């Protein structure tokens, strides 16, 4: 029993660290730093799900790591960008296999569809070099992940994705104010 409690507690600590890194990433100003910290957080969250014996969720987080690494790399190596498109079928396959192939309730179907849409937006955000677009798509994606967390009853997911969304929202406001300050005639009007 103590081994079970210990592995459960370790999983919670590891999950907390991973989700905290993931949430913290959205407050970064630099695209590279944002994607690097987000990927590191997803890698640690994958370990969290492995400790909890949830291999499908661990694999989904590893696909997010794959997306983050490729998003960093394709700026320097544009030929890698098509590899990012492999994320779509991987995530969709994992989304529907997570229920054991049995979508038995409206709640399960709703959570899966919201999660698939959130992931689609996340993949699209990784294709963006422009920080405003990346942040806007990430904000929409994380807002849907909050909804998915509500469907699943996952308080850590709701909190982490809520903080992640807030970070992107706050930085979108900063980007907007920076743009307005660069255009003097817009401020005079």
């Amino acid at each position: 029993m103590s081994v079970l409690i210990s592995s459960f507690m370790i999983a919670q600590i590891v999950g907390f660290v991973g989700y905290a890194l993931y949430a913290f990433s959205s407050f970064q100003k630099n695209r590279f730093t944002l994607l690097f910290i987000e990927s590191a957080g997803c890698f640690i969250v994958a370990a969290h799900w492995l400790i909890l014996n949830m291999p499908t969720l661990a694999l989904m987080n590893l696909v997010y790591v794959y997306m983050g690494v490729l998003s960093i790399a394709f700026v320097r190596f544009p030929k890698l960008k098509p590899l990012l498109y492999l994320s779509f079928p991987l995530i969709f396959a994992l989304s529907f296999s997570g229920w054991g192939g049995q979508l038995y309730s409206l709640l399960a179907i709703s959570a899966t569809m919201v999660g698939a849409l959130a992931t689609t937006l996340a993949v699209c955000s990784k294709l963006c070099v422009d920080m405003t677009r990346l942040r806007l798509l990430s904000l929409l994606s994380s807002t849907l992940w909050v909804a998915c967390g509500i469907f699943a009853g996952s308080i850590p997911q709701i909190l982490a994705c809520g903080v992640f969304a807030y970070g992107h929202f706050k930085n979108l406001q900063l980007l907007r104010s920076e743009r307005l300050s660069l255009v003097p005639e817009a401020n005079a009007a």
Side-chain angles (χ1 to χ4, degrees):
M1 185 73 173
S2 66
V3 172
L4 181 63
I5 292 172
S6 297
S7 65
F8 178 78
M9 293 304 292
I10 290 169
Q12 299 312 309
I13 293 166
V14 169
F16 177 75
V17 170
Y19 276 119
L21 269 176
Y22 175 78
F24 174 70
S25 70
S26 68
F27 290 91
Q28 305 309 304
K29 306 279 187 245
N30 177 302
R31 182 179 185 279
F32 174 83
T33 307
L34 184 152
L35 292 170
F36 181 80
I37 294 173
E38 181 180 327
S39 296
C42 288
F43 186 79
I44 295 169
V45 170
H48 161 75
W49 290 117
L50 274 177
I51 295 168
L52 290 174
N53 199 25
M54 304 287 276
T56 302
L57 292 173
L59 284 172
M60 288 181 87
N61 277 278
L62 290 177
V63 172
Y64 268 86
V65 173
Y66 167 81
M67 290 172 8
V69 170
L70 279 177
S71 296
I72 293 167
F74 86 73
V75 172
R76 190 168 270 162
F77 306 103
K79 290 187 180 200
L80 292 177
K81 192 171 185 175
L83 292 175
L84 197 55
Y85 295 114
L86 289 175
S87 304
F88 287 110
L90 288 171
I91 288 292
F92 286 125
L94 289 169
S95 292
F96 291 101
S97 69
W99 298 100
Q102 300 174 1
L103 294 175
Y104 52 86
S105 72
L106 183 58
L107 183 64
I109 292 169
S110 300
T112 300
M113 297 311 290
V114 170
L117 180 58
T119 299
T120 300
L121 290 169
V123 173
C124 291
S125 76
K126 303 301 183 272
L127 292 167
C128 298
V129 176
D130 176 55
M131 284 300 286
T132 302
R133 287 184 184 151
L134 183 144
R135 288 193 180 283
L136 182 60
L137 290 171
S138 293
L139 172 63
L140 294 172
S141 172
S142 57
T143 302
L144 288 173
W145 277 120
V146 169
C148 203
I150 292 169
F151 282 132
S154 173
I155 293 170
Q157 181 176 347
I158 294 167
L159 293 174
C161 291
V163 171
F164 188 74
Y166 176 76
H168 283 298
F169 177 75
K170 198 75 176 148
N171 278 293
L172 277 169
Q173 287 180 321
L174 290 172
L175 286 171
R176 184 173 181 260
S177 65
E178 285 174 8
R179 274 200 200 132
L180 288 175
S181 68
L182 292 175
V183 183
E185 60 272 0
N187 291 335

